[in-house]
Amino acid sequence: MRLRALLETDALGLRLLGGEEELDRTVRGVMTTDLRDPSRYLSGGELVLTGLAWRREPADSERFVRILTAAGVAGLAAGEAELGAVPEDLVLACVRHGLPLFSVVEDVAFASITEHVVRQVSSERAGDLAAVVDRHRRLMTSGPAGGGPEVVLDLLGTDLDLRAWVLSAAGRQIAGSAVAGEGPALTGALRARLAGEHLAAVRAGRTPPYRLTTGAGTYSLFPVHNSGRGAPAGEVRETVLSDWLLAVEADAGDWPAERLDLLYGVTQLIAVERDRRDAARTVRRRLAQEVLELVQTGAPPAEVAARLRVAAPVLLPGLGSAPHWQVVVARVEWAGAEVPGGPVARALLEEILVDPAAPGPEPSDRIAVAHTGDEAVALVPLPALAGDGPGADATVHADALLAAVCEPLARGLADDGRLTIGVSAAVLSAEGLRGAVEEARHARRVAAARPGTVCAAGHQELASHVLLLPFVPDDVRRAFTARLLDPLREYDRRHRAELIPTLEAFLAADGSWTRCAARLHLHVNTLRYRVGRIEQLTGRDLSRLEDKLDFFLALRLT
């Protein structure tokens, strides 16, 4: 359909503010957004609807319009409900870039325009999709508490007999519905497997929908972003770890094109909800950025404390007093590419640290995350629990943090990406926040020194030798381990004597002959012979603490 046809539809309440010569542009879709940069959700040809929440100053209009023009959108429609008349700076920016601009009167809902465009663009699937859009319209006009993507999924269940779930890239269930009385809910292990399969398929460049057959049945996976058909190849690593997916309990391999288009339309509606939730995090992100800048520039603790008092009610409504705080630092690194890791790390921390047990219709964000360079820093508020120490039952633990998300994230990072996370101890006040940030960064470096695609380390590990080992220069590592262990490796290679495993077991048994011999299933005399050979080859004495310590560190450095 053409933009001119929309302008001529009186019920839509559109008024042309500029771009009359471009009204013959073809509209291929519609997108509602208040993101400052919605480019990753645009594929070209859309009518973009916006409430102007992204505009904070006149200069924002030029930047926003430039992004839309570069993405090839057909036109822009701005609502009058938020700011009244459309700002003149936005009108002038659209004129400069040749982008048709409409205003939408306050009493016309964006959902009504969305419904009209979708009906016209996709008339061949108007039957099923009209029901989806109509349900979505009722949801959106009822306000933010209208039910979110659950309403769209309920329609799939009741009208199309499809059980479906919206999952995050880490496998967290964001929304789900089921045909009444049929089938169990998704288990945590199955959610992780579905998310992992989705991430692996996206990284491999496969064409959606992706299919996975398990003992529980066959599932079809649809990416949730603007077009529903995959991000441009060059941007995959920037979005793959933060996009959602729609999992449908059905084999879509033999579906007709009309039914597939219906599901892709549903993913577009769900993407609107994703945009809304991202926009809701703007305040928390800004608070985290302000606090982090104060901490890193050495601001007085009183000034940091004042910002934390502002942040506490936003993150924990009704708390009544400033909580204790914990810091989590994450870094995403990609091999062989200049891909910004900070925004990806921030999105992952926002996902991993979300509180699924919080009351309300959806999980509550109890955290504020900022990013700088390739690093993201999260401020996690902890309610003071009397009698149990500061936030004793609510603290974040490194081991538990990745327990449920390690599998899918590792598949999304594939063989060219890495995620490392460090967790600080809880601090009681602003005075301890700078130390907590540094502690979390040190813990992340410890995690980075370990093998594996996804690694985390906690503050409790910083009181151990493991804090020192990652910072030993590589040439020193090689020289130290070669001097102690190379004679043993060479002897094992020639004689298959297993001196290295014997040394490891002897140290693990704290030098106990009987425990070590029992663990290795050897006679004590055989063990004594092997230890004697180790001492002979290296010139060390394993009865001395210093020599035991050198061997222990050499083994840890390999």
Side-chain angles (χ1 to χ4, degrees):
M1 68 177 301
R2 308 285 183 182
L3 284 174
R4 188 180 307 279
L6 290 174
L7 184 63
E8 294 171 352
T9 304
D10 295 336
L12 297 183
L14 296 178
R15 184 165 60 92
L16 183 64
L17 300 181
E20 183 174 3
E21 64 281 2
E22 299 291 336
L23 288 180
D24 287 325
R25 289 187 180 185
T26 300
V27 179
R28 297 186 178 89
V30 64
M31 177 189 180
T32 301
T33 185
D34 277 313
L35 292 175
R36 293 171 66 83
D37 182 1
S39 57
R40 68 172 180 168
Y41 298 107
L42 296 170
S43 59
E46 296 90 353
L47 172 66
V48 174
L49 308 175
T50 180
L52 301 177
W54 48 266
R55 183 186 177 277
R56 299 173 185 170
E57 56 184 8
D60 290 341
S61 293
E62 172 68 19
R63 177 177 177 274
F64 186 76
V65 172
R66 188 166 58 247
I67 290 171
L68 298 189
T69 303
V73 305
L76 174 64
E80 298 179 348
E82 184 72 21
L83 301 179
V86 176
E88 185 66 16
D89 49 86
L90 179 58
V91 176
L92 293 175
C94 288
V95 170
R96 282 193 296 271
H97 290 275
L99 181 66
L101 174 64
F102 305 88
S103 66
V104 183
V105 297
E106 184 175 352
D107 58 350
V108 174
F110 282 174
S112 298
I113 300 175
T114 299
E115 178 181 355
H116 180 83
V117 172
V118 171
R119 284 181 183 272
Q120 296 300 316
V121 171
S122 306
S123 58
E124 72 279 0
R125 55 190 171 108
D128 285 342
L129 189 54
V132 176
V133 175
D134 183 64
R135 192 71 166 268
H136 184 61
R137 178 185 60 79
R138 294 199 299 270
L139 160 66
M140 298 303 292
T141 54
S142 65
E150 296 278 2
V151 173
V152 179
L153 299 188
D154 285 344
L155 183 63
L156 291 178
T158 56
D159 289 11
L160 302 179
D161 293 329
L162 290 176
R163 285 165 31 94
W165 301 263
V166 178
L167 305 178
S168 73
R172 180 174 64 87
Q173 180 170 314
I174 294 159
S177 69
V179 180
E182 293 186 15
L186 292 181
T187 64
L190 181 54
R191 293 199 306 270
R193 186 173 176 188
L194 292 172
E197 178 66 19
H198 164 258
L199 291 175
V202 172
R203 289 305 311 276
R206 287 160 47 194
T207 301
Y210 318 120
R211 287 178 289 163
L212 175 65
T213 300
T214 71
T218 298
Y219 297 85
S220 297
L221 311 176
F222 296 80
V224 174
H225 41 237
N226 183 56
S227 68
R229 300 181 190 273
E235 301 175 2
V236 165
R237 284 183 288 194
E238 297 182 35
T239 62
V240 65
L241 297 178
S242 57
D243 280 344
W244 291 354
L245 67 136
L246 175 66
V248 180
E249 190 179 30
D251 187 345
D254 57 355
W255 281 6
E258 293 80 3
R259 194 173 183 87
L260 285 173
D261 282 347
L262 169 60
L263 267 294
Y264 286 126
V266 169
T267 64
Q268 291 187 24
L269 297 180
I270 295 171
V272 173
E273 175 66 14
R274 174 64 194 269
D275 290 348
R276 185 187 70 80
R277 295 195 188 189
D278 277 349
R281 286 173 168 164
T282 301
V283 174
R284 290 189 290 274
R285 289 173 176 173
R286 186 166 64 246
L287 285 170
Q289 200 72 44
E290 291 173 357
V291 172
L292 181 62
E293 289 174 0
L294 289 174
V295 169
Q296 293 187 144
T297 56
E303 187 176 353
V304 179
R307 294 307 301 159
L308 291 178
R309 282 194 294 273
V310 172
V314 174
L315 302 180
L316 287 178
L319 186 64
S321 62
H324 306 300
W325 298 90
Q326 201 169 3
V327 175
V328 180
V329 170
R331 189 180 184 93
V332 172
E333 297 170 292
W334 301 101
E338 294 297 326
V339 179
V344 180
R346 181 181 66 185
L348 280 178
L349 280 187
E350 288 175 336
E351 167 59 33
I352 294 171
L353 293 170
V354 74
D355 182 9
E362 61 187 49
S364 171
D365 286 312
R366 294 177 47 221
I367 45 96
V369 187
H371 77 83
T372 171
D374 287 337
E375 178 186 77
V377 180
L379 299 176
V380 183
L382 306 172
L385 304 179
D388 294 325
D393 294 333
T395 51
V396 175
H397 298 281
D399 291 340
L401 196 61
L402 298 182
V405 301
C406 188
E407 176 191 345
L409 293 184
R411 298 189 69 181
L413 291 160
D415 57 358
D416 61 349
R418 194 151 191 258
L419 167 66
T420 51
I421 294 179
V423 182
S424 79
V427 295
L428 305 178
S429 64
E431 286 83 354
L433 199 58
R434 182 181 302 173
V437 172
E438 290 306 312
E439 188 175 58
R441 284 175 171 158
H442 281 306
R444 192 207 63 78
R445 293 188 190 104
V446 170
R450 297 171 175 166
T453 303
V454 181
C455 297
H459 61 91
Q460 66 278 5
E461 300 181 57
L462 302 185
S464 167
H465 64 278
V466 296
L467 174 61
L468 302 177
L469 297 185
F471 307 106
V472 177
D474 288 342
D475 55 344
V476 176
R477 285 172 178 254
R478 288 190 292 268
F480 181 70
T481 57
R483 188 175 299 117
L484 279 173
L485 301 182
D486 277 4
L488 306 183
R489 293 192 182 108
E490 177 62 21
Y491 191 86
D492 281 348
R493 186 186 65 80
R494 287 188 286 110
H495 301 284
R496 298 182 181 179
E498 297 187 350
L499 295 185
I500 293 289
T502 300
L503 176 61
E504 291 174 330
F506 186 72
L507 295 175
D510 297 325
S512 169
W513 298 98
T514 54
R515 289 205 307 273
C516 182
R519 183 174 300 176
L520 294 175
H521 306 289
L522 297 175
H523 192 278
V524 172
N525 289 341
T526 304
L527 175 62
R528 290 184 184 278
Y529 171 81
R530 289 187 183 180
V531 171
R533 179 62 67 184
I534 291 170
E535 292 174 335
Q536 180 184 13
L537 291 169
T538 60
R540 299 300 185 106
D541 182 357
L542 279 168
S543 66
R544 298 179 67 247
L545 177 61
E546 293 87 346
D547 288 342
K548 287 180 183 177
L549 179 59
D550 284 346
F551 277 122
F552 175 80
L553 292 176
L555 290 169
R556 285 299 184 96
L557 285 169
T558 56

